[in-house]
Amino acid sequence: MGITKIEDYLEQNYYQNKFIVASPDHIKFSEFNNFFQLGILAAKNQLKITNEIEFINQESLNLLEINKNFLIGPISNEIVSSIDGLLLKNRALLLNDAEDNYSISLSQKAQIFTLQNYLLNNKVKRIGFIEDENSNAKQIKAFKSQWFNANREAVTIEVQSNPSNRIENFLDVSESNARFSSIEEASFSDVKFVPRTRKDFSQVVIFTEDLSRLYEIASLIRFNYGLNYEIFSLTTNFNQKIDQNEVLLHDIKLIDHTYKNKFTSDLSKSRSYCLGFDALLVSYAIANNVKGELRGLLGIYRITSDELVSKSYIN
């Protein structure tokens, strides 16, 4: 559907003050700031926003001045925690997870919500988890706690440097091969055989922080006759550039921002750019009291008087 055309919601811009953007130190986080600000300015141009935009260091926040305008940011978890709830609801969009004020972020929260929601809507009750040796324990715990709290089941394996045998056992292909060997030994004629994978789940979530390992594990699933499984991966902890050929080859569904943006799947650049773009899109909507669903680059947002719920895209 593309980016929401905010003008479809507004007959005119009712908010006339500044948007103050509190971002990290420009020297320490120069690459992030460059692409984040590009996203902000791209949204200003594309959405025809005429308000003044002022960029400040997040360490220099003045809440008295902020409450006269609209605050976008800060990004620091510590600063967000210290000011959450101190700002007017319709005058701030914090860029790390918050409880009281509206917020969007690059955290795993939206990605986990998206995948859980997808599986729930498809009535999935049982799933396969593959945990790589370099996976993020906090991410796994967060996802699994929601999964099991909903009274759903899972089959889990951990894989290390040579995962081939583990994947084969995980899919029950080794057992199928063993049955074939017994039949072939007892038979006097040639036996045609295609190994069968297990049927008690149809979806597999791979947890890893290394894209090359994701491609390797997914390829082993497909190689071991797991052609019909839906393979998913959260992408929060990836920093490399995604190889779209590998993703297409192994049919991997990535939970992330949309790659239909200026920097496509070059994650460090595109994440920063998409966060900036959506920060201004959502802030402009909140400042003008727009409610409902907005589609941005980073995700899809549902804004009500009480909360802002973010969902990532499934690519």
Side-chain angles (χ1 to χ4, degrees), residues 24 58-59 73-84 94-99 103 105 107 138:
Q58 64 183 6
E59 306 289 341
I75 292 172
S76 161
N77 182 53
E78 291 77 14
I79 301 176
V80 166
S81 297
S82 69
I83 66 172
D84 184 23
L94 307 181
L95 298 184
N96 210 313
D97 294 335
E99 296 293 330
S103 68
S105 77
S107 76
K138 289 183 178 179

Side-chain angles (χ1 to χ4, degrees), residues 92-198:
L93 178 68
L94 307 181
L95 298 184
N96 210 313
D97 294 335
E99 296 293 330
D100 297 313
N101 282 105
Y102 292 128
S103 68
I104 65 173
S105 77
L106 294 175
S107 76
Q108 63 187 10
K109 184 177 178 181
Q111 292 192 9
I112 290 176
F113 175 81
T114 299
L115 183 50
Q116 295 275 359
N117 194 57
Y118 173 88
L119 296 170
L120 179 65
N121 288 340
N122 284 278
K123 297 180 172 55
V124 176
K125 298 292 186 182
R126 186 178 175 88
I127 198 168
F129 291 135
I130 300 178
E131 300 172 9
D132 188 25
E133 60 183 344
N134 66 0
S135 56
N136 185 286
K138 289 183 178 179
Q139 183 182 75
I140 294 172
K141 182 179 179 181
F143 191 90
K144 280 187 169 182
S145 63
Q146 290 188 34
W147 181 259
F148 291 124
N149 284 342
N151 295 317
R152 290 177 283 186
E153 299 178 347
V155 178
T156 302
I157 62 162
E158 298 177 0
V159 295
Q160 297 181 340
S161 56
N162 295 305
S164 181
N165 289 337
R166 294 283 288 162
I167 299 296
E168 187 177 335
N169 292 333
F170 176 65
L171 299 178
D172 279 353
V173 175
S174 55
E175 185 176 332
S176 182
N177 285 331
R179 287 195 299 269
F180 166 69
S181 297
S182 299
I183 294 170
E184 187 178 41
E185 288 175 5
S187 176
F188 293 102
S189 59
D190 292 337
V191 179
K192 294 183 179 180
F193 170 71
V194 176
R196 293 181 180 178
T197 54
R198 63 194 306 161

Side-chain angles (χ1 to χ4, degrees), residues 60-71:
S60 306
L61 282 177
N62 181 334
L63 293 187
L64 290 177
E65 180 184 3
I66 294 301
N67 272 325
K68 299 174 186 176
N69 297 286
F70 192 105
L71 174 65

Side-chain angles (χ1 to χ4, degrees), residues 161-301:
S161 56
N162 295 305
S164 181
N165 289 337
R166 294 283 288 162
I167 299 296
E168 187 177 335
N169 292 333
F170 176 65
L171 299 178
D172 279 353
V173 175
S174 55
E175 185 176 332
S176 182
N177 285 331
R179 287 195 299 269
F180 166 69
S181 297
S182 299
I183 294 170
E184 187 178 41
E185 288 175 5
S187 176
F188 293 102
S189 59
D190 292 337
V191 179
K192 294 183 179 180
F193 170 71
V194 176
R196 293 181 180 178
T197 54
R198 63 194 306 161
K199 303 297 183 185
D200 55 328
F201 58 78
S202 301
Q203 289 78 21
V204 177
V205 181
I206 300 173
F207 293 102
T208 182
E209 292 190 321
D210 186 337
L211 273 169
S212 63
R213 287 287 284 175
L214 173 64
Y215 306 146
E216 179 186 7
I217 294 168
S219 70
L220 286 170
I221 293 173
R222 301 307 187 200
F223 177 78
N224 283 288
Y225 305 96
L227 301 178
N228 295 321
Y229 292 114
E230 283 188 292
I231 300 176
F232 298 93
S233 177
L234 306 175
T235 57
T236 312
N237 298 311
F238 295 147
N239 292 313
Q240 309 99 315
K241 185 173 182 178
I242 290 171
D243 187 332
Q244 292 289 358
N245 290 327
E246 291 279 1
V247 172
L248 289 171
L249 177 64
H250 308 306
D251 193 15
I252 307 168
K253 291 182 168 66
L254 297 176
I255 315 301
D256 206 346
H257 59 280
T258 177
Y259 301 137
K260 295 177 181 179
N261 73 83
K262 187 174 182 179
F263 300 101
T264 61
S265 53
D266 189 342
L267 294 183
S268 62
K269 296 176 182 177
S270 64
R271 278 189 186 133
S272 306
Y273 178 82
C274 292
L275 179 64
F277 190 101
D278 285 13
L280 188 58
L281 166 68
V282 175
S283 295
Y284 188 70
I286 294 170
N288 284 284
N289 200 33
V290 171
K291 302 293 187 291
E293 183 178 284
L294 299 177
R295 300 179 71 90
L297 295 175
L298 196 66
I300 304 168
Y301 309 97

